């Protein structure tokens, strides 16, 4: 079993650039991917997306990659080149010629003169886009994926343990409910007789009385609900050890458990059964909260 919650980060220096890859995952009904990438890596969003989808089936996963150049010597792509503003250069040349004429000779190169070059020579950063993701960066990203998967599996293992404990508690409650169920007919007869005495109709035809009791017993029969609850719990026990996406299946089973328990609660007038049904509902609510985070 795998949870949908986890966090892992991996980092490495690749060709003069230090990359930090962070993967954060929370629960979601489907697969939801969000990316925060440097401009130079945005072209590889689909590559990252495919890798994630191969590892996970559900969850909202945020991918954050930060980059920082730490060594220009090792950087094999990108750089700076200079472009000449032709009009500005011609204007500078004319101005320098006039100045030389005024001063009667060549002008010394000064900081002010070099400053003018910023108006003439324009620095342009070369594009660092690649056609393929660098293998070293792919390795860093895959390391983060493996780490995130281990975190989700670790939390999934804890969730499976908790689900097992809760279903065991629910199974014990079902055993008590099953033991009290056959007493419903006797309780119905006693309550009906008490009502008749109170209404001074104790002389009612015994056959009619039995018919009324049988009708009440039919309406209060919870044997089918008990049987289905047992079947759903058995299916729960079969699913929990499996190493596959189980969240949707467990969610449906939990809804069925809740439906059957609600029906039992509605059918019975026995205070003991009502209390057991309420306790069962509390267990099922725990299950519902836990399975929301299962992949």
């Amino acid at each position: 079993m795998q949870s949908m919650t986890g966090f892992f980060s991996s980092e490495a220096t690749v060709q003069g650039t230090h990359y930090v890859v962070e993967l954060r995952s929370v629960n979601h009904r489907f697969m939801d991917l969000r990316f925060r990438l440097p401009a130079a890596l945005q072209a590889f969003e689909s590559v990252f997306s495919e890798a994630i989808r191969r590892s996970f089936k559900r969850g909202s996963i945020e991918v954050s990659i930060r980059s920082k150049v730490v060594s220009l010597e090792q950087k094999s792509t990108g750089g700076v080149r200079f472009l000449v503003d032709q009009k500005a250069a011609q204007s500078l040349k004319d101005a320098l010629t006039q100045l030389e004429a005024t001063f009667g000779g060549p002008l010394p190169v000064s900081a002010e003169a070099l400053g003018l070059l910023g108006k003439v020579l324009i620095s342009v950063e070369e594009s660092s886009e690649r056609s393929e993701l660098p293998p070293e960066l792919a390795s860093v990203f895959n390391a983060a994926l493996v780490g995130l998967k281990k975190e989700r599996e670790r939390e999934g293992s804890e969730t499976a343990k908790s689900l097992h404990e809760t279903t065991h508690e629910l199974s014990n409650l079902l055993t008590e409910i099953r033991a009290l169920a056959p007493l419903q007919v006797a309780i119905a007869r006693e309550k009906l007789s008490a009502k008749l005495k109170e209404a001074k109709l104790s002389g009612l035809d015994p056959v009619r009385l039995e018919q009324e009791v049988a009708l009440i017993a039919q309406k209060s029969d919870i044997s089918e609900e008990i049987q289905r609850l047992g079947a759903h719990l058995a299916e729960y026990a079969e699913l929990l050890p499996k190493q596959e996406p189980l969240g949707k299946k467990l969610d449906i089973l939990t809804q069925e458990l809740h439906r059957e328990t609600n029906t039992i609660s509605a059918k019975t007038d026995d205070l003991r059964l009502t209390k057991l049904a309420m306790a069962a509902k509390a267990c099922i609510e725990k299950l519902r909260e836990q399975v929301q985070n299962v992949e």
Side-chain angles (χ1 to χ4, degrees), residues 119-184:
K119 307 293 185 180
V120 178
L121 298 179
I122 304 171
S123 65
V124 178
E125 187 173 354
E126 292 279 16
S127 172
S128 59
E129 291 185 359
R130 297 171 175 265
S131 59
E132 294 183 1
L133 186 67
E136 299 89 343
L137 178 55
S139 178
V140 177
F141 184 79
N142 289 333
L145 272 182
V146 171
L148 179 62
K149 189 168 186 177
K150 288 182 179 179
E151 284 298 303
R152 287 178 38 144
E153 288 174 347
R154 180 190 61 77
E155 186 165 330
S157 178
E158 293 297 319
T159 300
K161 180 181 178 182
S162 180
L163 288 173
H164 178 76
E165 292 173 352
T166 304
T167 52
H168 181 69
E169 182 181 353
L170 185 56
S171 181
N172 289 338
L173 291 169
L174 180 58
T175 299
E176 294 185 56
I177 291 173
R178 187 180 287 111
L180 290 175
L183 304 178
Q184 294 303 293

Side-chain angles (χ1 to χ4, degrees), residues 250-270:
L250 293 177
D251 187 39
I252 292 173
L253 273 178
T254 304
Q255 292 177 36
E256 293 299 319
L257 288 171
H258 188 267
R259 182 178 295 109
E260 302 301 340
T261 307
N262 263 347
T263 304
I264 290 175
S265 180
K267 280 187 172 184
T268 183
D269 288 328
D270 186 343

Side-chain angles (χ1 to χ4, degrees), residues 47-76:
V47 176
F48 297 135
S49 178
E50 289 175 8
I52 293 171
R53 292 180 187 278
R54 286 195 297 268
S55 298
F56 309 111
K57 301 303 178 185
R58 285 207 305 160
S60 178
I61 300 176
E62 180 181 294
V63 180
S64 173
I65 300 181
R66 301 192 303 276
S67 63
K68 180 180 180 181
V69 176
V70 293
S71 174
L72 290 175
E73 293 181 357
Q74 297 178 23
K75 194 170 179 63
S76 62

Side-chain angles (χ1 to χ4, degrees), residues 7-15 17-23 64-68 70 135-147:
F7 172 81
F8 198 84
S9 65
S10 180
E11 56 186 286
T13 300
V14 180
Q15 297 177 347
T17 300
H18 188 73
Y19 291 98
V20 178
V21 178
E22 294 181 347
L23 302 180
S64 173
I65 300 181
R66 301 192 303 276
S67 63
K68 180 180 180 181
V70 293
E136 299 89 343
L137 178 55
S139 178
V140 177
F141 184 79
N142 289 333
L145 272 182
V146 171

